[in-house]
Amino acid sequence: MQEIYQNREFTMSIFSKLFKKKSSQEGELKGSVEEFMSLIRVYYQSVMAVNLGITNINFIPDVAMFKRVFKVPTQNGKLGLAEKSRSRKILIEEYGFKDEFFKEIDTSVKKNCKTQNDIRSYLFMFQGFSNDLLMLTGNLMKWKFGISRLFKKVLYQLTQKTIHDIMTRSDWKADDVRKTATDVRKYQKALGYSEQWMTDYIYHIVLLAKDEKKKKPEESK
């Protein structure tokens, strides 16, 4: 769980900012890649807490901060149950995810985390999967990231095609691309995520990254 604890200070900062700018509606939560990834981590840790019966909240720091900032009461005396429901609700309402996205996470965690000792290796594997997938997608799409946010459907389709290529193509010219694509496939096989899940995950990060890039010049003014 070392990676989780290393992210604790960063996560506390993110959720503190979320809380400060949060009004009576949760709609203002949406805004950056960091905020999105924080919510994703809360959902993962909540699933692990529920499945494995984790009772020490210090073991799941992202959930601890989420619970504290948004005053989420413990449900039925089971840590992670209410937090899982709340983070899922925000991700659905603010980012448009479907039930299947969460079902795949649930299935992946259940398959790979039989005991609390499995959590560290799972999170390490998911981090490698996420990093390689993001890096490779960015490398392959390049100019396509410049497409206006108004053409979200086109950007989604391009992301979908790129993910499919990563999972099926074998004629990569660059050695580094071929190696990374192979690594992504190994991660995908172990974790069990579908191309649809990978597309939805990457697409939302791309959209948020585009928004952040657009905001930076405006803020500098």
Side-chain angles (χ1 to χ4, degrees):
M1 295 296 287
Q2 182 179 358
E3 291 83 2
I4 290 183
Y5 284 108
Q6 289 176 337
N7 287 328
R8 185 172 186 177
E9 183 176 348
F10 171 74
T11 305
M12 289 175 68
S13 174
I14 290 298
F15 278 116
S16 294
K17 291 178 182 177
L18 283 175
F19 183 66
K20 288 178 181 177
K21 72 179 184 179
K22 173 176 170 289
S23 64
S24 59
Q25 296 184 352
E26 291 173 348
E28 295 181 25
L29 278 170
K30 183 168 62 174
S32 71
V33 174
E34 288 85 357
E35 291 170 6
F36 170 72
M37 291 307 299
S38 292
L39 286 167
I40 290 290
R41 287 199 301 273
V42 169
Y43 187 81
Y44 270 93
Q45 291 177 29
S46 296
V47 172
M48 292 170 179
V50 172
N51 289 359
L52 301 174
I54 295 173
T55 57
N56 184 357
I57 198 167
N58 293 320
F59 200 58
I60 44 177
D62 292 279
V63 171
M65 178 52 62
F66 183 77
K67 185 180 186 67
R68 187 178 307 118
V69 171
F70 294 104
K71 305 185 188 309
V72 182
T74 301
Q75 184 178 338
N76 298 333
K78 196 166 186 178
L79 184 61
L81 202 59
E83 295 77 20
K84 175 184 175 182
S85 178
R86 182 73 174 275
S87 58
R88 180 179 180 278
K89 181 175 183 288
I90 295 174
L91 286 165
I92 288 176
E93 293 182 351
E94 303 306 326
Y95 297 95
F97 284 104
K98 305 299 182 184
D99 287 342
E100 193 57 40
F101 181 83
F102 302 98
K103 288 179 181 178
E104 290 201 28
I105 294 177
D106 295 351
T107 300
S108 178
V109 172
K110 184 177 181 180
K111 172 188 173 184
N112 290 280
C113 296
K114 303 295 185 182
T115 70
Q116 291 186 21
N117 292 329
D118 297 327
I119 293 177
R120 178 186 173 85
S121 59
Y122 180 87
L123 292 176
F124 183 78
M125 181 164 51
F126 180 78
Q127 183 180 10
F129 171 64
S130 181
N131 289 345
D132 282 356
L133 187 59
L134 281 168
M135 180 179 67
L136 189 53
T137 303
N139 183 34
L140 295 174
M141 291 185 71
K142 291 180 180 176
W143 65 268
K144 298 171 185 176
F145 285 139
I147 294 175
S148 171
R149 205 180 194 283
L150 296 174
F151 299 99
K152 291 193 292 183
K153 185 176 181 181
V154 173
L155 184 59
Y156 184 87
Q157 291 173 341
L158 289 171
T159 304
Q160 190 174 42
K161 181 182 183 303
T162 301
I163 295 296
H164 182 67
D165 286 344
I166 290 172
M167 297 306 298
T168 58
R169 274 186 61 178
S170 58
D171 58 340
W172 302 108
K173 295 180 180 179
D175 290 338
D176 59 336
V177 172
R178 181 167 57 254
K179 180 183 182 305
T180 306
T182 299
D183 289 342
V184 167
R185 293 178 195 180
K186 289 179 180 177
Y187 283 130
Q188 182 272 337
K189 184 176 181 180
L191 293 168
Y193 291 114
S194 66
E195 287 187 26
Q196 182 66 56
W197 190 96
M198 295 160 68
T199 298
D200 290 342
Y201 177 67
I202 295 297
Y203 169 72
H204 282 88
I205 294 176
V206 170
L207 278 186
L208 291 168
K210 285 171 65 64
D211 285 346
E212 285 184 1
K213 187 176 180 180
K214 183 179 178 181
K215 288 175 183 177
K216 284 181 179 178
E218 295 176 353
E219 291 174 354
S220 62
K221 295 179 183 179

